[in-house]
């Protein structure tokens, strides 16, 4: 009661334009669950609390702006009206920078995530393909080996690859496989490939000593057709002839 | 138009305030063009000195910040010559310079004041509302003011406290962005006079920060003491003397000794029982040692 008395003494009778005060509830929020009951706002829940303040401000603005317009108080600043702002331009720049950097950071992290996901997927697909190819190769080789060894005289494995079987190709393929690799290839394989014991291949064993298959008599007695007469030109005289020449020269 | 509503607010503080309070004060000065600044007041002087300072500066309202223990901030709002005054505890201060407050407004533009419906329900809130209106609204046609209305102050009562927010009005459809500053006021007392006088209202929900800290410390101490007590009780229980039960003389009645069997002396070795292999039981693993002994023999 003392309060009320004081208030009545203290209260100023001013036109609303001077005071610009609005007492209002909140704007109805379509999303909110609590049915416009302010007491339900939990002060600990920051987001809810701030939203309630925001809505109260909105309600006030929606109420006050028409009144102001009626009283011809301007509310919108014209574009060519430049005046000092409460926060300096520098401050606003800083704020803008911060927002931009936050957005960029988010975008970057999003991109990185996507890249990682794509790489994982790509790698998976790649490994699948490689495995499939290897499997096919293995199967093919096995089938070929089997056929070589004569276990199966059916050439079914070729069918798996070429669904549209062409008879010619099939026949020629058969022939080739029978002979195996080329003679040249076989020689090279024997010399260089297919593992096996290589270390003792150049020793003089009884067999290699008695083996005269690489003896060409014409080459040994120099009776074969000359290579091109070059050797005749370059024939070096014997030791005695050379000594004679030397003593003669002196 | 002519500036008729001659309100002037003196905003100043005592010594020992920290940077946040100083910035808050500066922010209020930029937002309110009808404010005046003053030097820091010495703590030694009494509060009614402030009335004289205000009179010298020709101000009829005052916002005075008082910092205690370098931790607690109190704010006095007062109508200086004779009117009521109120003391608040200020918490959760955020200033204009914080980067999360992205809005901006004209310097000196007039604010809209928005109040909670709760302010009309209680007389002390009604008084505070009147005080806020008179202090925070910029008079029309004030020489330093801008004619546009582009921001709104909100005062909301939540959790027995008054929350202050400042929003910039962007669009006519009431889309808002926060400018700042922000603070929370916890009402302590309302006095009839300026910085003194009889108490009109005392907030029953107010707890001084000292009490608050003390309670926290006490609760921690209480927990610790409880633990100690429990430990002691346990110790006593362990040591505790065993209760002696008295001998009951009537128990002997029910005792019957067992009959004595005649002593038999066996002269002939009894026949050995046939060994039946129990296939259900697992076979015992013969020790290798035994086998070895047999072999050597």
């Amino acid at each position: 009661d003392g309060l009320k008395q004081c208030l009545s003494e203290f209260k100023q009778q001013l036109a609303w334009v001077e005071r610009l005060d609005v007492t209002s509830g909140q704007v109805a929020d379509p999303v909110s669950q609590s049915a416009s009951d302010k007491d339900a706002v939990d002060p600990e829940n920051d987001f809810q609390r701030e939203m309630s303040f925001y809505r109260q401000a909105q309600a006030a603005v929606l109420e006050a702006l028409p009144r102001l317009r009626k009283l011809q108080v301007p509310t919108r600043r014209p574009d060519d009206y430049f005046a000092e702002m409460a926060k300096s331009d520098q401050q606003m720049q800083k704020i803008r920078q911060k927002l931009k950097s936050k957005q960029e950071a988010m975008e970057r992290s999003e991109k990185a995530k996507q890249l990682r996901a794509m790489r994982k997927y790509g790698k998976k697909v790649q490994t699948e393909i490689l495995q499939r190819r290897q499997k096919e190769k293995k199967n093919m080789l096995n089938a070929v080996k089997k056929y070589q060894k004569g276990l199966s005289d059916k050439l079914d494995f070729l069918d798996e690859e070429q669904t549209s079987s062409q008879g010619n190709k099939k026949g020629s393929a058969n022939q080739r496989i029978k002979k195996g690799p080329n003679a040249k290839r076989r020689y090279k394989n024997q010399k260089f490939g297919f593992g096996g014991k290589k270390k003792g291949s150049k020793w003089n064993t009884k067999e290699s000593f008695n083996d005269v298959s690489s003896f060409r008599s014409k080459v040994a007695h120099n009776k074969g057709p000359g290579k091109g007469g070059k050797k005749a030109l370059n024939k070096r005289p014997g030791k005695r002839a050379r000594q004679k020449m030397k003593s003669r020269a002196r | 138009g002519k500036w008729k509503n001659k309100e002037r607010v003196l905003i100043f503080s005592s010594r020992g305030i920290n940077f946040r309070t100083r910035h808050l004060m500066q922010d209020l000065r930029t937002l309110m063009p009808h404010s005046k600044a003053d030097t820091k007041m010495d703590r030694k002087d009494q509060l009614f000195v402030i009335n004289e300072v205000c009179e010298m500066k020709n101000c009829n309202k005052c916002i005075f910040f008082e910092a205690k223990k370098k931790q607690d901030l109190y704010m006095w709002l007062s109508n200086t010559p004779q009117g009521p005054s109120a003391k608040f505890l200020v918490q959760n201060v955020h200033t204009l310079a914080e980067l999360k407050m992205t809005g901006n407004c004209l310097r000196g533009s007039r604010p809209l004041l928005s109040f909670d419906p709760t302010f009309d329900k209680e007389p002390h809130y009604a008084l505070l509302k009147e005080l806020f209106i008179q202090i925070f609204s910029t008079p029309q046609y004030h020489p330093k003011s801008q004619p546009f209305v582009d921001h709104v102050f909100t005062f909301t009562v939540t959790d027995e406290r008054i929350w202050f927010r400042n929003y910039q009005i962007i669009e006519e459809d009431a889309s808002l962005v926060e400018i700042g500053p922000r603070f929370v006021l916890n009402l302590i007392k309302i006095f009839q006079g300026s910085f003194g006088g009889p108490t009109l209202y005392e907030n029953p929900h107010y707890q001084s920060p000292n009490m608050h800290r003390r309670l926290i410390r006490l609760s921690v101490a209480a927990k610790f003491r409880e633990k100690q007590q429990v430990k002691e009780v346990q110790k006593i229980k362990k040591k505790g003397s065993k209760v002696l039960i008295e001998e009951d003389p009537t128990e002997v009645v029910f005792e019957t000794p067992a009959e004595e069997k005649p002593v038999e002396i066996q002269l002939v070795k009894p026949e050995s029982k046939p060994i039946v292999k129990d296939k259900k039981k697992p076979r015992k693993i013969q020790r290798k040692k035994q086998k070895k002994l047999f072999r050597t023999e």
Side-chain angles (χ1 to χ4, degrees):
Chain A
D1 329 308
L3 282 169
K4 290 189 190 145
Q5 197 190 11
C6 187
L7 177 59
S8 56
E9 287 173 7
F10 174 57
K11 207 166 184 166
Q12 280 177 350
Q13 301 301 330
L14 287 172
W16 182 80
V17 193
E18 283 291 334
R19 293 143 43 100
L20 292 180
D21 71 311
V22 182
T23 310
S24 59
Q26 294 170 16
V27 174
D29 191 17
V31 190
S32 74
Q33 296 144 346
S34 63
S36 70
D37 186 13
K38 252 294 294 300
D39 302 319
V41 172
D42 175 24
E44 303 293 329
N45 184 350
D46 292 339
F47 183 68
Q48 216 182 9
R49 199 184 56 213
E50 298 298 324
M51 280 315 289
S52 75
F53 299 157
Y54 187 84
R55 268 179 273 136
Q56 188 195 320
Q58 276 187 323
V61 167
L62 287 172
E63 204 185 304
L65 283 183
R67 279 176 85 176
L68 284 171
R69 244 175 271 139
K70 253 192 265 171
L71 296 165
Q72 285 158 358
V73 176
T75 50
R76 287 192 73 229
R77 189 162 65 103
D79 294 325
D80 54 356
Y81 189 99
F82 292 113
E84 200 183 348
M85 307 288 276
K87 293 191 197 175
S88 65
D89 283 338
Q90 217 185 29
Q91 177 75 5
M92 296 312 283
Q93 280 285 6
K94 248 200 258 178
I95 292 173
R96 224 168 286 144
Q97 281 293 344
K98 185 136 197 261
L99 283 175
K100 227 197 280 179
S101 68
K102 260 198 203 169
Q103 218 184 7
E104 275 176 15
M106 230 176 54
E107 272 176 27
R108 238 180 285 147
S109 73
E110 276 294 323
K111 253 199 243 171
K113 257 193 237 172
Q114 272 186 359
L115 253 175
R116 254 181 278 143
M118 262 182 63
R119 254 190 241 148
K120 253 197 186 174
Y121 181 69
K123 183 145 190 180
K124 224 193 336 172
V125 168
Q126 185 76 327
T127 52
E128 269 181 28
I129 288 175
L130 284 175
Q131 278 181 355
R132 208 183 341 129
R133 277 196 209 147
Q134 280 183 343
K135 242 194 252 174
E136 277 184 20
K137 186 174 172 187
K138 196 169 91 172
N139 290 339
M140 190 64 170
L141 286 177
N142 282 344
V144 166
K145 269 196 210 162
K146 272 197 199 166
Y147 185 74
Q148 274 184 332
K149 295 201 177 171
L151 287 173
S152 63
D153 38 340
K154 290 185 235 168
L155 295 168
D156 289 336
F157 53 87
L158 287 173
D159 278 338
E160 291 162 36
E161 275 219 302
Q162 302 152 22
T163 46
S164 59
S165 52
Q166 296 163 4
N168 266 352
K169 283 202 174 170
K170 214 177 168 184
S172 63
N174 288 350
Q175 295 298 322
R176 238 187 286 134
I177 283 165
K178 264 197 173 170
K179 284 185 192 163
N182 266 345
K184 180 179 174 188
R185 187 72 255 169
R186 259 183 280 138
Y187 167 68
K188 289 218 171 175
N189 282 345
Q190 186 209 21
K191 194 169 178 196
F192 302 118
F194 278 156
K197 210 170 173 198
K198 286 263 171 33
K199 287 220 165 167
S201 59
K202 286 205 176 171
W203 290 348
N204 283 336
T205 58
K206 196 193 213 172
E207 292 90 46
S208 74
F209 191 79
N210 291 339
D211 181 24
V212 283
S213 56
S214 51
F215 177 76
R216 309 261 176 270
S217 72
K218 291 216 171 158
V219 170
H221 299 297
N222 205 9
K223 290 240 168 83
K227 265 200 188 164
K230 214 179 173 190
K231 261 243 160 153
L233 286 170
N234 283 349
K235 188 158 185 187
R236 197 164 164 247
K239 190 176 178 182
R240 287 284 300 165
R242 271 185 279 135
Q243 277 180 346
K244 273 190 199 161
M245 281 163 77
K246 203 159 121 193
S247 59
R248 255 199 212 153
R250 281 202 192 147
Chain B
K2 206 161 176 250
W3 173 33
K4 287 193 191 131
N5 180 17
K6 311 273 177 154
E7 289 283 349
R8 284 183 207 89
V9 182
L10 184 65
I11 305 182
F12 71 119
S13 73
S14 72
R15 301 187 70 200
I17 52 173
N18 66 352
F19 67 97
R20 220 182 275 274
T21 320
R22 201 167 12 95
H23 279 268
L24 177 64
M25 222 169 51
Q26 281 172 355
D27 295 341
L28 284 178
R29 283 186 200 146
T30 52
L31 286 177
M32 295 158 62
H34 56 292
S35 64
K36 285 198 184 160
D38 197 19
T39 53
K40 290 189 212 159
M41 188 191 83
D42 216 359
R43 207 98 49 71
K44 281 182 263 161
D45 304 332
Q46 307 277 11
L47 284 175
F48 58 76
V49 172
I50 301 179
N51 293 323
E52 291 171 14
V53 175
C54 286
E55 209 185 301
M56 285 211 303
K57 287 259 173 167
N58 195 13
C59 292
N60 58 353
K61 298 283 185 303
C62 174
I63 301 180
F64 176 63
F65 289 99
E66 193 181 352
K68 289 240 171 99
K69 280 190 173 185
K70 295 194 186 167
Q71 281 171 357
D72 312 321
L73 176 65
Y74 298 98
M75 182 165 106
W76 287 87
L77 289 181
S78 152
N79 176 24
T80 19
Q82 76 278 73
S85 54
K87 185 175 180 187
F88 300 92
L89 172 69
V90 185
Q91 288 165 323
N92 290 5
V93 177
H94 294 263
T95 56
L96 264 183
E98 292 201 359
L99 289 174
K100 298 222 166 153
M101 317 278 195
T102 45
N104 200 355
C105 65
L106 280 174
R107 194 174 218 183
S109 63
R110 298 181 62 207
L112 253 183
L113 300 169
S114 157
F115 291 95
D116 209 11
T118 331
F119 276 99
D120 288 335
K121 288 183 193 160
E122 308 263 322
H124 61 271
Y125 279 139
L127 184 57
L128 284 180
K129 178 177 163 184
E130 191 58 37
L131 203 56
F132 288 144
I133 293 173
Q134 290 190 13
I135 289 181
F136 285 103
S137 60
T138 308
Q140 209 181 16
Y141 310 124
H142 189 279
K144 284 194 197 159
S145 70
Q146 302 281 354
F148 305 104
V149 175
D150 63 354
H151 64 290
V152 52
F153 289 163
T154 48
F155 297 87
T156 324
V157 176
T158 314
D159 194 25
E160 317 294 340
R161 292 176 175 82
I162 302 174
W163 301 69
F164 172 87
R165 296 281 183 276
N166 179 14
Y167 294 101
Q168 176 194 8
I169 305 169
I170 302 180
E171 288 295 322
E172 299 283 302
D173 66 348
S175 53
L176 307 168
V177 177
E178 188 157 0
I179 310 171
R182 293 185 170 183
F183 47 88
V184 178
L185 297 173
N186 204 346
L187 174 65
I188 305 175
K189 278 190 181 176
I190 306 182
F191 301 99
Q192 194 178 23
S194 168
F195 293 103
T199 312
L200 288 174
Y201 179 78
E202 194 175 334
N203 185 4
H205 306 283
Y206 170 71
Q207 191 190 60
S208 95
N210 277 334
M211 283 301 274
H212 185 70
R213 288 188 279 256
R214 184 165 177 265
L215 282 179
I216 292 174
R217 253 182 286 141
L218 280 180
S219 70
V220 169
K223 251 198 262 174
F224 182 68
R225 232 179 284 137
E226 234 189 80
K227 271 196 214 166
Q228 293 274 27
Q229 279 181 355
V230 167
K231 270 194 199 166
E232 278 178 25
V233 167
Q234 280 181 349
K235 259 195 206 169
I236 290 170
K237 264 195 196 170
K238 272 192 199 168
K239 276 193 204 166
S241 51
K242 294 181 194 152
V243 183
L244 288 174
I245 308 171
E246 288 174 2
E247 232 183 82
D248 191 5
T250 52
E251 254 186 5
V252 194
V253 179
F254 293 105
E255 274 180 25
T256 42
E259 275 182 15
E260 280 193 28
K261 273 197 202 164
V263 181
E264 272 187 31
I265 304 169
Q266 288 186 339
L267 295 168
V268 184
K269 186 181 173 185
E271 285 178 15
S272 55
K273 277 195 266 176
I275 302 168
V276 180
K277 258 193 181 174
D278 188 3
K279 290 195 178 170
K280 286 184 190 169
K281 278 192 187 167
R283 248 187 290 162
K284 280 189 187 172
I285 301 167
Q286 293 232 336
R287 277 187 251 146
K288 283 189 181 173
K289 270 189 187 174
Q290 281 185 342
K291 276 194 179 171
K292 268 193 180 171
L293 283 170
F294 275 121
R295 253 186 259 151
T296 52
E297 283 175 20

